[in-house]
Amino acid sequence: MKLELGYIYIKDIQFAEKSKVENGTLYVNKEEIKALVMEDQNFKSVEVELAKPGDSTRIMPVKDVIEPRVKVEGPGGIFPGMVSKVQTVGSGKTHVLKGAAVITTGKIVGFQEGIIDMTGTGAEYTPFSKLNNLVLVCQPVEGLKQHEHEKALRFAGYKIAIHLGELARTLVPDESEVFETPTVKEGFKLYPELPRVAYVLMLQSQGLMHDTYVYGVDAKQSLTTMLYPTEIMDGAIVSGNCVSACDKNTTYHHINNPVIHDLFSEHGKTLNFVGVIITNENVYLADKERSSDWSAKLAEFLGLDGVIISQEGFGNPDTDLIMNCKKIEAKGIKTVIITDEYAGRDGSSQSLADADVSANAVVTGGNANEVINLPALEKVIGYTSVADIIAGGFSGSLHEDGSITAELQVITGATNEMGFNKLSAR
Amino acid sequence: MKESLRSITEQKAFAFCSFFSLNLIFLLNLSIIVICYKNLLKKSKRKGFDMIITNNDWVYEKYKNCSNHNMFFIEGSYKDVLIKTRDKIHEGYELLTHPLSSSLKPNETPFKSIIISENKDKLNMDSLIIIENSIMSWEKFNNEKLKLNFTKQIIEDFKLIDLTVLESALNKK
Amino acid sequence: MVKEIERAGIPVVHMCTVVPISLTVGANRIVPTIAIPHPLGNPALTMEEEKDIRRNLVARALRALETEVTEQTVFEK
Amino acid sequence: MIKVVQYINQFFANVGGEEMAHIPAEVRTEIVGPGLAFQQAFKDEAKIVATIVCGDSYFNENLEEAKKTILEMIKEYNPDLFIAGPAFNAGRYGVACATIAAEVKEQLNIPVLTGMYKENPGADMFKNKVYIVSTKNSAVGMKDAVKKMAPLALKLAKGEKILSSAEEGYLPNGIRVNFFEKERGSKRAVNMLLSKLQDKEFETEFPMPDFDRVEPNKAVKDITKAKIALVTSGGIVPKGNPDHIESSSASKFGKYDIDGVMDLTEETYETAHGGYDPVYANLDADRVLPVDILREFEQQGKIGSLHRYFYTTVGNGTAVKSSKAFAAEFSKELKQDGIDAVILTST
């Protein structure tokens, strides 16, 4: 399967009469976006705001971050089975508004967290402070239940991202990149000497506000299975997970999965990137056993030499991570696992809730309990009072002057477990 | 841990019941339990089905009369639920759901529901390691006492998340 | 703990319920016991029956101390 | 100007090799051996005002005495910073450096720094107590060691914030500190996998706990003559827990006299352990500490005798907290009391 990504680099975002992309600036008609969102009667009202790198702006609580893309050639559309029809994506050509993003924010439940600061200390810990963001602040109608509210917000984000992506359909990309994954047979023929490597991608799947969708299917209902890496670049996986801001994967993380990109950069040179094994992190322990059994079985069946495993979330996924690692190593397949840590505010506690001697190669995204101070910023998009009951924060977190003292775990994407950031710990 | 005298004697009675087959002492103990603690002890017990240990009244109300689950309601904290689960595992019950389910941290959500198997057996190593690590994780997070002022709405949100996360496992039946 | 006693030159038998942990911490002579809250007894039985179980377990521990071992050994009976 | 005292052994002070390892501690006011390299690195920010030279054998064989005299010597100069070594892979020298550094830090409360190869026994013993810079395994690595130790030493003396072990070059000490790498996590993972696949050396960013091995002792010749001692991590203590042993991660162990005690009863003994349901142990502590049976065996001549004292602590939690220090201490006592074998019970 072969896919060409055409990057249209976005350096600025402005409101304007007509939505269009012109020499690096994304112009957005505010009313047009509002009208689109309000098509969903679950919403009472919506605000549309801009947040650009360096602005003295704080966005919270952040539900999801989505990158505008459009399929210009090849079957299917972005977010298959979710927004577009169910069709196998991942081949042909896709254009990307690289440097832009749609951010959804909204109070689904009182305690939800997730901060993006566009400047100051907080900006260093989230990749989204470097993007030109269109932020949707949606108010639900009275009495809307959490399930419906979460779903409405999720789809609002996708809809607007797809709408903005359309603006790039006819543009000429500033830069293109081609990704190709051979079939297993071709792979053997093309790269007989290279080590066969796959990526085991663990998806959060624990229930309301903890779910991930693959071609529209809730991951907790699926057995471990395979994807071509390029399918993920067309939005085959989307996030419905909005708890534990620092290590949940946003839709932006999924569609720009760093492990996939870095494995492709070595593909055909030092390794043969065979594909992606996706597996879930269910509450039921028997599911954890079954899913990790299947990951190991698939890894063996594909004749792999090595895998990279990334988990998502805190606590119980450590058990799945160690199960996947142990069982795959037991097949004689070498593993490297990517995780983050909750080592306490002084860094002296046990980082993971599970451990095994076979997990001897670990990459860490940092200690999420580290306390940081976020300066007061001029503008806040979203709901300021939430910071008081924000995970990792405490009532003292939001000071009168608007500054916040809280743990790193309140920052969206801060200790991402796909290895999206450079933050680490020793 | 707010483990009152009531629940200690309740544990002893419960342990005796599960060991004896249906004979006089069992019935005697059961009746004693029923008489003394009927209102306090919102607990129903049928053999052969899995058991939900919870301090979330939404879970209790919803599933107390449901045919294929026993309920063990605890008026206490997230940690009390973990400690009760650990004692059960020490007695040979098996853990069916992960005690650290959901991404909510142990010093944030006050509610936790856990399912254990009803069929007693030899000590289950995996269950033991998971419950002990979960208790250590609870201790680790609660080094920092979060001074969170929960409104009624937020308490209900936490109850809802605990219920829905539990149901993502219950629908397995 | 068991390793430090062994290191001090005193033969030691580790009577414990969770054998895998005992192996992990390096015990060389291990006797598996009944249950965590009551390793050398069983409250469901009479006092005499409990003492009998305890007697067998302790006897087995003494036998373990009298047995030469070259590696970690679990004395099942 | 930061005043520094450095500790080195007989070899680095050019007194001699193993044959001179017995020399007691002495003070030199001129700069000696590695001190030159350190002084150059300090330029005028710090000055080595004295160097303590001590033989490795002397230090390790007269531990208490050596520690006391060296502390006195150091106090005289009341330095702002104390440096020991670097010891590279010299075992006894490494243990001496780490021991004296920890002692100075504890007693004199001044910043201390030492350095050695990561496999030096001194490293494992003290890396969680004092900063130990990771050096090469021989004196060939002196230049590199000073390049790492000098700046970190100055930072410690000036009370500046100490960054992660990866940035400052000290051995990981169990305290996780965040920092920004050059490459993103996924790239580091790919590189790590490639090294692992090619069986090249790589460094995990989060080490999993592991356990070393101790060989089994010879069996007891004649159990009927043997003096048996009881030890437990199940937390059995006299009623009321007189020494207040904590219910988890205990900070002490108990030593209790059971002379004449034939049976542990609900009125006399209980458990302090917080890691399991205490009901059964409180009802009859023999279920954890089999005193009743051992007394029976003692009378029947099946064992020589049951030791007068039993030792107890609380080993709470699946990852059994290595109460290494307790066991090392009471094992010495057991040895002195002529104990032939120990029965250790755990819950």
Side-chain angles (χ1 to χ4, degrees):
Chain A
M1 184 176 276
K2 183 171 162 189
L3 175 69
E4 179 182 343
L5 284 188
Y7 304 121
I8 291 104
Y9 291 117
I10 299 297
K11 298 186 187 52
D12 187 15
I13 185 168
Q14 303 280 352
F15 284 130
E17 280 308 308
K18 191 172 174 317
S19 297
K20 64 179 186 304
V21 172
E22 210 168 69
N23 46 52
T25 301
L26 169 59
Y27 297 95
V28 179
N29 177 319
K30 193 173 194 178
E31 294 318 317
E32 178 188 290
I33 301 295
K34 278 191 171 178
L36 262 172
V37 171
M38 292 308 287
E39 279 171 4
D40 182 341
Q41 334 83 345
N42 285 313
F43 291 127
K44 187 172 64 183
S45 69
V46 58
E47 285 309 314
V48 182
E49 305 264 1
L50 299 183
K52 293 191 266 193
D55 287 359
S56 178
T57 301
R58 165 165 301 139
I59 310 166
M60 73 179 190
V62 170
K63 174 168 180 333
D64 198 6
V65 183
I66 310 128
E67 183 172 61
R69 293 191 174 199
V70 59
K71 275 209 79 58
V72 294
E73 275 168 31
I78 299 296
F79 306 136
M82 207 69 192
V83 179
S84 310
K85 299 195 309 312
V86 174
Q87 238 178 333
T88 299
V89 294
S91 60
K93 201 171 176 190
T94 298
H95 284 175
V96 181
L97 292 183
K98 187 50 78 181
V102 175
I103 293 180
T104 54
T105 175
K107 248 176 79 161
I108 301 167
V109 282
F111 57 81
Q112 193 192 323
E113 83 281 356
I115 291 180
I116 295 177
D117 279 4
M118 300 306 288
T119 188
T121 337
E124 291 159 30
Y125 288 97
T126 175
F128 307 122
S129 57
K130 321 281 186 305
L131 303 179
N132 295 285
N133 300 306
L134 183 77
V135 186
L136 307 177
V137 186
C138 311
Q139 286 292 353
V141 292
E142 284 320 315
L144 185 63
K145 277 279 153 263
Q146 282 91 345
H147 272 285
E148 286 69 30
H149 184 187
E150 187 274 327
K151 192 170 184 209
L153 258 178
R154 187 155 26 98
F155 277 87
Y158 304 142
K159 202 158 62 168
I160 301 305
I162 296 245
H163 176 73
L164 296 180
E166 279 302 324
L167 304 174
R169 182 175 288 284
T170 55
L171 298 179
V172 174
D174 303 319
E175 196 184 346
S176 289
E177 219 178 340
V178 177
F179 305 92
E180 180 163 16
T181 308
T183 63
V184 173
K185 196 167 79 173
E186 283 163 5
F188 272 109
K189 266 197 271 151
L190 282 167
Y191 315 111
E193 303 313 316
L194 294 180
R196 297 172 56 74
V197 169
Y199 170 34
V200 176
L201 168 58
M202 291 166 59
L203 306 173
Q204 178 65 268
S205 55
Q206 303 253 325
L208 173 65
M209 296 176 60
H210 292 73
D211 281 323
T212 307
Y213 302 89
V214 183
Y215 278 91
V217 172
D218 174 350
K220 76 168 88 63
Q221 286 150 8
S222 155
L223 285 167
T224 302
T225 184
M226 281 281 304
L227 283 177
Y228 276 99
T230 49
E231 292 179 78
I232 295 171
M233 295 179 178
D234 276 341
I237 302 177
V238 294
S239 166
N241 180 9
C242 52
V243 183
S244 191
C246 60
D247 52 30
K248 67 148 194 203
N249 292 324
T250 63
T251 302
Y252 191 96
H253 284 113
H254 281 298
I255 212 164
N256 287 289
N257 191 306
V259 176
I260 290 175
H261 280 270
D262 288 340
L263 280 174
F264 263 126
S265 63
E266 294 294 325
H267 180 55
K269 303 191 192 85
T270 58
L271 55 85
N272 175 2
F273 182 18
V274 174
V276 179
I277 295 172
I278 54 169
T279 182
N280 52 26
E281 300 167 358
N282 285 2
V283 171
Y284 208 60
L285 289 171
D287 289 354
K288 289 185 185 296
E289 287 293 346
R290 181 184 308 115
S291 295
S292 47
D293 284 346
W294 279 56
S295 307
K297 180 170 61 177
L298 277 179
E300 179 187 49
F301 185 72
L302 290 167
L304 300 178
D305 302 306
V307 295
I308 289 176
I309 310 171
S310 74
Q311 72 162 322
E312 179 179 11
F314 137 83
N316 75 85
D318 295 351
T319 299
D320 303 81
L321 177 66
I322 295 297
M323 279 180 181
N324 280 314
C325 177
K326 245 193 317 199
K327 291 176 183 176
I328 292 175
E329 286 275 348
K331 300 278 188 189
I333 299 166
K334 301 223 161 84
T335 64
V336 169
I337 63 175
I338 308 176
T339 180
D340 67 352
E341 299 170 55
Y342 286 85
R345 292 185 178 190
D346 60 2
S348 65
S349 304
Q350 191 184 325
S351 296
L352 295 178
D354 207 337
D356 187 79
V357 67
S358 60
N360 61 9
V362 179
V363 164
T364 171
N367 175 19
N369 287 134
E370 185 184 332
V371 177
I372 55 170
N373 296 309
L374 306 177
L377 298 182
E378 281 150 34
K379 185 176 178 191
V380 176
I381 303 175
Y383 302 81
T384 52
S385 68
V386 171
D388 269 348
I389 23 181
I390 231 162
F394 39 84
S395 56
S397 74
L398 179 60
H399 309 305
E400 291 73 27
D401 64 4
S403 67
I404 290 181
T405 310
E407 291 178 13
L408 208 50
Q409 65 173 302
V410 304
I411 305 264
T412 300
T415 60
N416 178 271
E417 295 171 296
M418 285 180 173
F420 202 88
N421 313 327
K422 292 180 176 166
L423 186 67
S424 186
R426 284 296 184 288
Chain B
M1 172 172 77
K2 296 182 283 305
E3 186 75 329
S4 60
L5 186 63
R6 166 181 61 72
S7 53
I8 287 186
T9 29
E10 156 210 324
Q11 275 166 21
K12 228 173 25 173
F14 179 81
F16 276 111
C17 295
S18 51
F19 284 117
F20 279 82
S21 55
L22 282 172
N23 59 25
L24 196 62
I25 297 173
F26 173 76
L27 292 172
L28 195 65
N29 281 358
L30 196 63
S31 52
I32 293 173
I33 293 171
V34 169
I35 296 163
C36 304
Y37 308 112
K38 197 150 45 57
N39 42 18
L40 260 177
L41 193 66
K42 292 186 248 179
K43 182 178 90 118
S44 58
K45 210 190 95 39
R46 281 177 305 286
K47 289 293 268 175
F49 302 107
D50 54 27
M51 168 175 283
I52 300 172
I53 302 178
T54 182
N55 65 340
N56 180 351
D57 55 1
W58 283 19
V59 169
Y60 177 72
E61 293 309 330
K62 185 166 184 186
Y63 288 98
K64 65 182 178 195
N65 304 323
C66 146
S67 62
N68 48 22
H69 300 295
N70 280 317
M71 288 297 298
F72 195 109
F73 182 75
I74 290 182
E75 268 155 43
S77 68
Y78 185 152
K79 182 172 183 187
D80 295 334
V81 173
L82 292 178
I83 297 294
K84 174 58 67 189
T85 306
R86 179 205 62 199
D87 290 349
K88 289 273 177 263
I89 290 167
H90 284 179
E91 288 170 29
Y93 293 88
E94 192 192 343
L95 200 56
L96 296 184
T97 60
H98 201 290
L100 294 177
S101 55
S102 122
S103 296
L104 292 173
K105 309 301 184 303
N107 58 351
E108 292 159 1
T109 176
F111 301 104
K112 183 47 62 184
S113 307
I114 299 172
I115 310 177
I116 61 169
S117 72
E118 191 50 46
N119 40 33
K120 238 165 89 68
D121 201 353
K122 221 165 87 39
L123 178 73
N124 180 303
M125 250 313 277
D126 297 332
S127 300
L128 178 69
I129 288 185
I130 290 176
I131 189 64
E132 296 276 3
N133 282 335
S134 301
I135 291 174
M136 261 195 288
S137 195
W138 188 93
E139 305 280 0
K140 170 176 81 173
F141 272 90
N142 282 282
N143 289 343
E144 291 307 327
K145 269 280 154 263
L146 293 190
K147 301 189 290 300
L148 303 179
N149 40 32
F150 292 156
T151 60
K152 182 174 167 308
Q153 174 56 36
I154 289 166
I155 293 279
E156 284 179 0
D157 291 339
F158 277 131
K159 284 181 182 177
L160 175 72
I161 293 289
D162 177 64
L163 175 63
T164 51
V165 166
L166 179 76
E167 282 174 337
S168 79
L170 280 184
N171 309 343
K172 289 288 151 207
K173 283 292 167 201
Chain C
M1 284 236 282
V2 68
K3 241 189 326 208
E4 290 315 310
I5 299 169
E6 195 88 80
R7 213 193 301 269
I10 309 171
V12 51
V13 57
H14 191 194
M15 301 182 79
C16 77
T17 305
V18 195
V19 171
I21 292 177
S22 178
L23 291 168
T24 314
V25 300
N28 290 310
R29 294 179 171 88
I30 300 166
V31 170
T33 54
I34 310 283
I36 288 182
H38 40 79
L40 301 171
N42 186 341
L45 308 177
T46 66
M47 182 55 90
E48 267 325 303
E49 283 163 339
E50 266 202 280
K51 276 209 151 177
D52 225 16
I53 290 178
R54 193 152 48 245
R55 196 169 289 115
N56 291 331
L57 287 173
V58 174
R60 200 190 310 168
L62 297 179
R63 264 203 311 286
L65 286 169
E66 290 181 292
T67 315
E68 289 304 342
V69 292
T70 52
E71 37 155 28
Q72 296 191 287
T73 314
V74 179
F75 292 78
E76 290 293 347
K77 46 184 177 4
Chain D
M1 169 70 85
I2 297 168
K3 287 187 297 176
V4 182
V5 168
Q6 179 164 22
Y7 171 93
I8 56 175
N9 73 348
Q10 78 287 348
F11 174 77
F12 283 95
N14 306 328
V15 172
E18 265 316 303
E19 78 292 355
M20 297 302 284
H22 59 280
I23 60 158
E26 58 177 66
V27 184
R28 303 273 186 80
T29 48
E30 77 283 12
I31 294 182
V32 186
L36 298 167
F38 274 99
Q39 191 54 62
Q40 266 162 4
F42 290 148
K43 299 193 186 64
D44 46 22
E45 272 196 275
K47 181 151 186 358
I48 298 178
V49 295
T51 304
I52 313 253
V53 177
C54 179
D56 294 336
S57 304
Y58 174 80
F59 188 92
N60 284 295
E61 279 146 22
N62 313 285
L63 201 57
E64 292 319 317
E65 218 251 327
K67 279 199 275 190
K68 208 154 70 32
T69 46
I70 292 172
L71 273 184
E72 288 317 316
M73 293 177 182
I74 297 171
K75 270 195 203 128
E76 262 177 61
Y77 293 88
N78 125 52
D80 315 308
L81 176 65
F82 175 75
I83 294 181
F88 306 107
N89 206 13
R92 286 182 301 120
Y93 183 29
V95 172
C97 285
T99 307
I100 193 64
E103 191 71 13
V104 165
K105 178 177 175 188
E106 209 180 291
Q107 306 296 339
L108 307 183
N109 197 7
I110 59 170
V112 299
L113 182 64
T114 183
M116 62 193 78
Y117 182 55
K118 60 180 189 245
E119 276 157 25
N120 191 311
D124 234 10
M125 287 163 67
F126 288 93
K127 64 185 177 193
N128 294 344
K129 295 198 180 63
V130 291
Y131 286 110
I132 301 181
V133 167
S134 173
T135 71
K136 295 197 168 60
N137 62 6
S138 78
V140 164
M142 180 58 87
K143 205 157 143 310
D144 160 67
V146 172
K147 203 149 77 53
K148 283 199 222 171
M149 286 180 75
L152 181 52
L154 292 177
K155 271 185 103 169
L156 284 166
K158 289 184 242 167
E160 288 170 14
K161 184 171 184 304
I162 304 302
L163 304 177
S164 67
S165 53
E167 291 160 296
E168 305 276 15
Y170 58 85
L171 287 170
N173 56 6
I175 307 292
R176 305 295 292 172
V177 177
N178 285 347
F179 72 106
F180 287 96
E181 286 265 9
K182 293 180 204 56
E183 302 268 15
R184 66 181 182 180
S186 49
K187 189 77 180 120
R188 303 197 310 268
V190 172
N191 295 339
M192 194 180 285
L193 183 61
L194 287 172
S195 305
K196 194 169 177 183
L197 286 168
Q198 292 144 14
D199 292 320
K200 281 209 226 116
E201 229 202 287
F202 63 89
E203 244 191 275
T204 181
E205 297 179 2
F206 176 73
M208 291 285 159
D210 60 31
F211 290 87
D212 56 355
R213 283 282 305 121
V214 171
E215 286 318 309
N217 280 298
K218 279 255 157 293
V220 174
K221 289 282 169 301
D222 179 353
I223 202 79
T224 64
K225 304 274 181 307
K227 199 170 175 190
I228 309 280
L230 269 173
V231 177
T232 184
S233 65
I236 297 303
V237 291
K239 199 77 178 172
N241 190 359
D243 297 325
H244 310 299
I245 298 179
E246 302 88 346
S247 64
S248 72
S249 38
S251 63
K252 62 192 110 166
F253 65 91
K255 174 182 178 183
Y256 299 112
D257 189 338
I258 45 171
D259 194 23
V261 171
M262 304 306 289
D263 179 23
L264 306 184
T265 65
E266 189 177 357
E267 294 71 32
T268 50
Y269 286 86
E270 64 180 22
T271 180
H273 201 295
Y276 62 86
D277 182 351
V279 162
Y280 311 108
N282 286 339
L283 281 172
D284 180 359
D286 289 307
R287 287 171 174 154
V288 177
L289 203 67
V291 171
D292 56 356
I293 295 297
L294 281 164
R295 283 297 184 214
E296 202 184 283
F297 283 4
E298 193 179 39
Q299 278 157 1
Q300 294 161 356
K302 287 186 179 158
I303 61 170
S305 66
L306 175 59
H307 185 41
R308 177 183 183 132
Y309 299 104
F310 76 88
Y311 292 88
T312 179
T313 185
V314 167
N316 190 355
T318 306
V320 170
K321 282 261 186 324
S322 86
S323 27
K324 238 176 174 186
F326 304 158
E329 204 182 319
F330 65 64
S331 298
K332 248 191 281 166
E333 283 182 18
L334 288 170
K335 208 74 176 121
Q336 277 146 12
D337 293 349
I339 294 304
D340 302 313
V342 164
I343 295 181
L344 169 66
T345 71
S346 291
T347 55

